Amino acid sequence: MHLLYNIVVHIAALLVKIIANFNPKIKLFVQGRKNIYNTLSKNISVKDDVIWVHTASLGEYEQGLPVIEKLKKNYPTYKFVVTFFSPSGYQVKKDDNIANAIVYMPLDTLKNAKKFIKAVNPKLAVFVKYEIWPNHLKILKEKQIPTLLVSAYFKKEQLFFKWYGSFMRKSLTAFTHFFVQDSNSKNLLKSIGFNNCTVSGDTRFDRVSKILEQNNELDFMTNFTQNKTCVVAGSTWPKGHLFLIDYINNTSAKNIKFVIAPHNIITDQIEELKNSIHKKVVLFSEINNNDISDFDVLIIDTIGILTKVYSYAHIAYIGGGFTKGGLHNTLEPAVFGVPILIGPIYKGFKEAEDLVQLKGVLPAANQNEFTSVLDLLISKKEHYNSTAEINKNYVAQNIGATNKIASYIGTLLVNK
């Protein structure tokens, strides 16, 4: 099975090089990997004590970040290497100063794994959530490098738990310890013979809880909202825009402001969105210190400020819930105690599943449901308050994963 896996990986490597000629994102995926060893050689040496943290993309990076920050504080003499698999994560964070080197993870061939791990020579490897790469894990195990999987979330549908999944189950033996999000994940691991597991929760709760400690004031938002009810639509996609636009265009309420922050900042799509709204609309890029208090809708055509914008929200709509695997971060608005509206597809996102069950996150599958949910939150204060409290309490009750992980890592590094 290992031989078959390696054949498939080599074929995939060839295919992505061909596809890169026609696909800009895949081109980044291929071109970025050419600079791995040059970046590493400039920033770390064989004499350094290194901790390697691997994340798939931006979401997993946010989960790994609290652990990195804690370890940097606890072990200031160590250097840190962060790797990404996806261009969407790497391109956003490649210049972040959280690590000594931020690079792509090489494709998971045995040759690549040997070369990369020799170059990094980590004292500890930390993989985040779903990242299981058999060849890299094989070499880490052979070199007896302590390796952790943190904020892990297992589901019975995954290959590890199928009768034909022995190859991937074997890869799990490389992990020194698993820190999982819930007891179901722990029980699934136990069912296939892994007892080296702790239910720690999700480190993202620690990450978002720190948002409350920062200064979230934005002068343009204060000017725009004028203390009126503010609906913030974050990380939105065109399908969700249809419901949102219909609501904005048809509501007769005068005391509501709307903020839309599309996931993709594409000029033509932003212009199309703006033109489809029949009320007074302004783009963030058009503000230029002007008074925007008279506008009804603000479109955020930039990145990096959405977290602070959520602090002004009374209600949040989070995009991505109309396509499989696409729901975006619901915890960032939840930490502010904001009721949240999403699309109907949220399975696999534990925090969304939990909050839907608790009724702090409210799914809507069509226009009628979308309109009804918003109208009820706006018009019924008691319903609004109870929904908001659910989300605020949920985040507060789930912090602490980072300290559990860091405490365990302390016992590992003492012995290195």
Side-chain angles (χ1 to χ4, degrees):
M1 195 66 179
H2 197 179
L3 176 61
L4 178 60
Y5 172 80
N6 284 326
I7 291 171
V8 170
V9 171
H10 278 90
I11 292 172
L14 179 61
L15 288 175
V16 295
K17 287 180 180 178
I18 296 171
I19 297 170
N21 294 313
F22 311 99
N23 185 304
K25 186 173 182 178
I26 300 299
K27 186 175 182 179
L28 290 173
F29 181 93
V30 173
Q31 293 293 331
R33 282 170 166 78
K34 294 180 179 180
N35 300 319
I36 292 173
Y37 298 101
N38 184 42
T39 302
L40 290 175
S41 66
K42 287 180 179 178
N43 294 284
I44 63 171
S45 74
V46 293
K47 297 179 181 179
D48 293 323
D49 291 329
V50 176
I51 295 175
W52 169 31
V53 179
H54 175 62
T55 68
S57 191
L58 204 54
E60 290 78 15
Y61 173 83
E62 292 297 326
Q63 288 176 301
L65 191 56
V67 177
I68 299 170
E69 291 173 337
K70 186 74 171 180
L71 294 180
K72 286 188 70 175
K73 181 179 179 180
N74 290 355
Y75 308 100
T77 61
Y78 276 73
K79 287 192 173 183
F80 289 79
V81 172
V82 172
T83 55
F84 284 93
F85 182 78
S86 164
S88 57
Y90 174 78
Q91 290 298 319
V92 174
K93 295 297 181 179
K94 62 183 179 180
D95 297 320
D96 204 328
N97 61 7
I98 192 66
N100 300 92
I102 298 178
V103 295
Y104 280 103
M105 184 183 192
L107 288 177
D108 192 41
T109 66
L110 199 55
K111 180 180 178 181
N112 284 346
K114 289 178 179 178
K115 182 179 179 181
F116 181 78
I117 292 169
K118 182 180 180 181
V120 176
N121 190 29
K123 291 290 189 290
L124 171 72
V126 180
F127 285 49
V128 180
K129 197 174 182 179
Y130 292 137
E131 288 298 276
I132 312 294
W133 295 107
N135 283 317
H136 281 80
L137 289 171
K138 181 177 186 292
I139 302 305
L140 287 168
K141 184 179 179 181
E142 288 178 359
K143 290 183 173 292
Q144 298 183 324
I145 297 170
T147 304
L148 307 179
L149 185 65
V150 303
S151 289
Y153 183 45
F154 289 100
K155 298 173 286 185
K156 64 181 180 179
E157 296 81 12
Q158 290 172 309
L159 190 59
F160 314 110
F161 311 108
K162 304 295 185 183
W163 64 266
Y164 48 84
S166 60
F167 172 62
M168 292 302 290
R169 283 195 295 274
K170 185 177 179 181
S171 294
L172 296 180
T173 64
F175 289 108
T176 310
H177 204 82
F178 300 89
F179 288 91
V180 298
Q181 293 187 30
D182 61 2
S183 58
N184 182 61
S185 295
K186 182 176 182 177
N187 291 335
L188 284 169
L189 283 173
K190 189 175 181 179
S191 73
I192 56 173
F194 291 93
N195 296 303
N196 52 333
C197 179
T198 299
V199 178
S200 60
D202 189 344
T203 51
R204 282 188 304 156
F205 289 97
D206 301 320
R207 175 69 175 154
V208 299
S209 68
K210 289 186 177 181
I211 294 172
L212 297 177
E213 301 171 9
Q214 70 185 22
N215 181 359
N216 291 297
E217 291 183 13
L218 295 168
D219 290 342
F220 74 89
M221 283 297 298
T222 301
N223 177 249
F224 172 70
T225 57
Q226 295 294 302
N227 293 317
K228 295 181 179 180
T229 297
C230 181
V231 178
V232 175
S235 300
T236 57
W237 291 81
K239 188 164 184 179
H241 288 161
L242 296 176
F243 300 144
L244 188 62
I245 292 165
D246 183 274
Y247 188 88
I248 293 171
N249 287 341
N250 289 292
T251 185
S252 58
K254 301 295 184 183
N255 62 336
I256 304 177
K257 298 277 189 166
F258 296 90
V259 179
I260 307 174
H263 180 70
N264 290 324
I265 311 301
I266 300 172
T267 302
D268 290 346
Q269 292 183 9
I270 296 291
E271 196 64 27
E272 182 180 352
L273 173 62
K274 180 181 179 180
N275 292 336
S276 66
I277 297 171
H278 301 157
K279 297 189 176 181
K280 293 189 68 175
V281 186
V282 62
L283 303 182
F284 174 80
S285 59
E286 298 171 338
I287 295 175
N288 296 323
N289 296 318
N290 294 322
D291 180 5
I292 57 171
S293 60
D294 196 40
F295 287 90
D296 303 300
V297 182
L298 168 62
I299 297 176
I300 306 293
D301 55 342
T302 188
I303 60 173
I305 61 173
L306 180 56
T307 299
K308 291 188 175 186
V309 170
Y310 282 136
S311 71
Y312 289 82
H314 294 90
I315 301 167
Y317 161 67
I318 306 302
F322 288 95
T323 56
K324 188 176 181 181
L327 184 65
H328 293 286
N329 195 333
T330 53
L331 292 181
E332 287 185 351
V335 74
F336 292 109
V338 176
I340 298 168
L341 175 62
I342 61 172
I345 304 174
Y346 55 87
K347 296 299 182 184
F349 295 86
K350 183 182 182 300
E351 66 281 0
E353 292 179 359
D354 288 348
L355 286 170
V356 167
Q357 187 173 6
L358 292 169
K359 301 188 185 306
V361 168
L362 309 168
N366 54 53
Q367 186 65 59
N368 285 339
E369 291 179 7
F370 191 94
T371 299
S372 295
V373 169
L374 273 179
D375 281 346
L376 189 60
L377 287 170
I378 291 168
S379 63
K380 301 294 183 182
K381 187 175 181 179
E382 185 176 330
H383 174 65
Y384 173 89
N385 289 340
S386 63
T387 306
E389 194 69 14
I390 288 167
N391 290 342
K392 186 177 182 179
N393 289 340
Y394 178 75
V395 175
Q397 291 165 3
N398 282 281
I399 61 175
T402 302
N403 285 339
K404 292 177 183 178
I405 295 166
S407 178
Y408 181 86
I409 288 173
T411 64
L412 292 176
L413 295 183
V414 164
N415 299 318
K416 293 302 288 182

